Amino acid sequence: MITIWGRANSVNVQKVLWCCDELVLPFERIDAGGQFGRLNEPSFLALNPNGKVPTLVDGNYVLWESNAIVRYLALEYGPSSMLYPAEPKVRGSIERWLDWSATSLAPAERPVFLGLVRTPPEKRDMAQIAADLHQVSQHWRLLDQHLTGRFFLENERFSIADIVLGAFARRWFGLEGVEREPLPNLERWYQRIAQREGFRKYVGIPLT
Ligand SMILES: N[C@@H](CCC(=O)N[C@@H](CS)C(=O)NCC(=O)O)C(=O)O
């Protein structure tokens, strides 16, 4: 049985849960992080010295970093053609989005999410949030352009790139009181992936 450590409202945990659902993979999830704590306990740090979630335990194999976990699950438990195709050019393009999400999108998205969802209204720095929103919307515009004429992110087949970016898109489209510029290709793609069972169960939950 696979064990996934991590609170259900973490975007990085959500990617992993959604990926398990796509692979029809049973798992057990243990609440950790945020209000649940546990990340500084020696037994958890022995699994993940970063003290972060998600952390995966699969038998005696332990893995941290959400995108690495998603890759591992797709390789270990999915037919190679399914979520993570082996053709080098397709895989390269998928990898590009996973890296982009970790190095460009997530750092830009984080302050907006923390400011609007995890900060009480009276403590919000709205000028800073507006500047951060401007930054992150440039990333979504880039993705909107890429999605012109495409059904999914790569290869016209649903892949782990759709899972990873879809989890972040849920946060973008879930923000309240925000003016978003129209991004029709992004919106169409988002509506499409939001119908998937794994998205509905693990990602399309209230933002907290
Ligand atoms: N790059 C890491 C980031 C891990 C990370 O920062 N996780 C956050 C939750 S999204 C965390 O553990 N925060 C501490 C907490 O939840 O208490 C990954 O993708 O797994």
Side-chain angles (χ1 to χ4, degrees), residues 7 9-13 15-16 32-37 39 44 48 50-55 64-69 102 110 118 168 171:
R7 55 191 167 83
N9 65 346
S10 147
V11 66
N12 290 314
V13 173
K15 298 169 190 175
V16 173
Q35 58 177 305
F36 303 100
L39 304 187
F44 184 81
N48 183 346
N50 300 290
K52 299 277 186 199
V53 292
T55 298
W64 39 263
E65 277 300 327
S66 59
N67 289 353
I69 296 172
R110 188 177 150 79
R118 297 209 179 132
F168 284 103
R171 308 216 315 188

Side-chain angles (χ1 to χ4, degrees), residues 3-151:
T3 301
I4 297 159
W5 287 79
R7 55 191 167 83
N9 65 346
S10 147
V11 66
N12 290 314
V13 173
Q14 289 173 351
K15 298 169 190 175
V16 173
L17 304 182
W18 183 4
C19 186
C20 286
D21 194 83
E22 294 287 344
L23 295 166
V24 198
L25 199 55
F27 64 87
E28 165 198 36
R29 186 181 63 78
I30 300 177
D31 272 322
Q35 58 177 305
F36 303 100
R38 307 182 80 161
L39 304 187
N40 291 322
E41 290 174 7
S43 58
F44 184 81
L45 289 170
L47 297 174
N48 183 346
N50 300 290
K52 299 277 186 199
V53 292
T55 298
L56 171 107
V57 182
D58 183 4
N60 56 12
Y61 181 64
V62 179
L63 191 60
W64 39 263
E65 277 300 327
S66 59
N67 289 353
I69 296 172
V70 165
R71 288 177 173 105
Y72 164 73
L73 291 173
L75 282 172
E76 179 75 4
Y77 295 105
S80 65
S81 59
M82 195 180 152
L83 292 178
Y84 195 27
E87 299 103 288
K89 290 191 173 61
V90 178
R91 184 162 294 186
S93 299
I94 290 171
E95 300 291 17
R96 164 259 306 266
W97 290 120
L98 267 55
D99 289 356
W100 180 79
S101 77
T103 57
S104 295
L105 182 66
E109 183 270 348
R110 188 177 150 79
V112 174
F113 180 80
L114 294 181
L116 288 173
V117 178
R118 297 209 179 132
T119 306
E122 67 280 6
K123 293 200 173 145
R124 288 178 194 162
D125 178 346
M126 290 313 291
Q128 184 61 52
I129 290 173
D132 294 338
L133 263 170
H134 177 71
Q135 287 295 321
V136 73
S137 62
Q138 291 182 326
H139 290 93
W140 289 119
R141 195 181 312 134
L142 180 153
L143 197 61
D144 178 71
Q145 282 161 10
H146 171 79
L147 283 164
T148 308
R150 290 177 198 262
F151 207 70

Side-chain angles (χ1 to χ4, degrees), residues 169-186:
R170 190 276 172 272
R171 308 216 315 188
W172 175 242
F173 287 111
L175 292 175
E176 287 174 7
V178 165
E179 273 206 26
R180 279 175 287 268
E181 64 179 292
L183 296 173
N185 303 305
L186 185 74

